Amino acid sequence: QSSLGALFLMSQAKLSGLWWSTMMNNIFFISAIAAGLSMVSIETVWSHKAFNIDQPREILAGLARGTAIVLAVYLAVRFIDLGRNGNIGLIFSSGKLSVLFLVEVGLLAALPMLLLFMPNIQKSENAILGCQLMVIAGVIFNRFNVSLLAQGGVDASYFPTWIEFAVTLGIISLGIFLYRFAVVTWPILTHQ
C-alpha cells in the first residue's frame, strides 16, 4: 500500500491538493492498517455467525479500539499534511472534489472513528460490523478517488464491465470456499 501511494506521487499535475501530497505513501500505509483491522473484525463476525459460534466480544472490542486509534492517527496526519501544504481551503472550495473529500474523510473515516471509540458500540458486534464496513468503504473510496482522478480528472466516469464483475465475484467466491474448507478441515475457530 505504501508503494501504491508512492506510485501516485508522479500524478501531482493530475491530482487535487486534497489528495496529492509528498506523504501519500505514508497516508496509504496508515489507511491500510485501518483496513486490515476492519477486515479482521468483519471476517470474525461473519465467520462466527456462519459457523454458529459465539462472538469473541473482547477481541472485537479490541479491534474496534485499535481501528479507532489508527483512524485518529490517519485523520491527524491527513489534516496536518493539508495544512502544511496550504490546502485546507480546498476542502470547501473545490466543487465536486470537495464533496468526494467530505464523504471520504467525514462520513467514511471520522464518523466510524468516533463511533468505534464509544463503549456501547464496542459491546455490539453488529454495531462494530457496521462501523468497520464504513472504514473499508472509506479506504476503497480513497483509492478510487486517487486513481480515477489521477487518470481522468474530475469529469471522468467509469463503470466496470460484466467481465470485471465476474472475475471479482469469482475471486471472492474462491476465497470464501477456501476459508470454509480450512475451517471445516482444521480447528481454526475453536476457542480453547
Side-chain angles (χ1 to χ4, degrees):
Q1 288 295 313
S2 179
S3 298
L4 179 62
L7 175 70
F8 287 105
L9 288 173
M10 297 182 291
S11 301
Q12 182 176 8
K14 295 182 177 184
L15 270 175
S16 165
L18 291 171
W19 288 278
W20 190 91
S21 163
T22 56
M23 296 276 297
M24 285 181 78
N25 57 332
N26 298 318
I27 291 169
F28 269 52
F29 181 70
I30 295 167
S31 65
I33 294 171
L37 292 169
S38 295
M39 282 307 299
V40 171
S41 296
I42 292 166
E43 178 276 327
T44 299
V45 170
W46 283 348
S47 62
H48 281 72
K49 283 183 180 184
F51 292 101
N52 202 20
I53 300 172
D54 290 337
Q55 297 289 339
R57 295 187 189 279
E58 299 83 25
I59 293 172
L60 289 172
L63 288 167
R65 284 189 300 275
T67 305
I69 291 167
V70 173
L71 285 173
V73 170
Y74 168 77
L75 290 168
V77 169
R78 190 98 186 254
F79 281 100
I80 289 169
D81 187 56
L82 282 170
R84 180 180 63 103
N85 293 329
N87 292 329
I88 289 285
L90 294 175
I91 295 172
F92 297 105
S93 64
S94 299
K96 291 179 186 177
L97 297 179
S98 293
V99 173
L100 293 173
F101 179 84
L102 290 171
V103 168
E104 173 193 323
V105 173
L107 185 63
L108 300 174
L111 179 61
M113 177 202 67
L114 294 172
L115 291 172
L116 289 170
F117 271 127
M118 300 170 84
N120 59 333
I121 296 291
Q122 295 175 10
K123 292 177 184 172
S124 167
E125 64 265 5
N126 289 329
I128 290 172
L129 178 64
C131 291
Q132 300 290 31
L133 286 168
M134 289 171 65
V135 173
I136 294 297
V139 172
I140 292 170
F141 198 58
N142 170 265
R143 300 315 189 254
F144 271 110
N145 283 339
V146 171
S147 62
L148 288 179
L149 293 176
Q151 299 303 316
V154 69
D155 294 323
S157 65
Y158 168 75
F159 191 80
T161 65
W162 72 270
I163 294 173
E164 291 170 304
F165 276 117
V167 169
T168 301
L169 184 61
I171 291 170
I172 292 170
S173 299
L174 176 64
I176 292 170
F177 171 78
L178 293 175
Y179 179 78
R180 179 164 172 57
F181 175 78
V183 169
V184 170
T185 306
W186 298 292
I188 292 175
L189 290 181
T190 58
H191 300 290
Q192 299 177 10

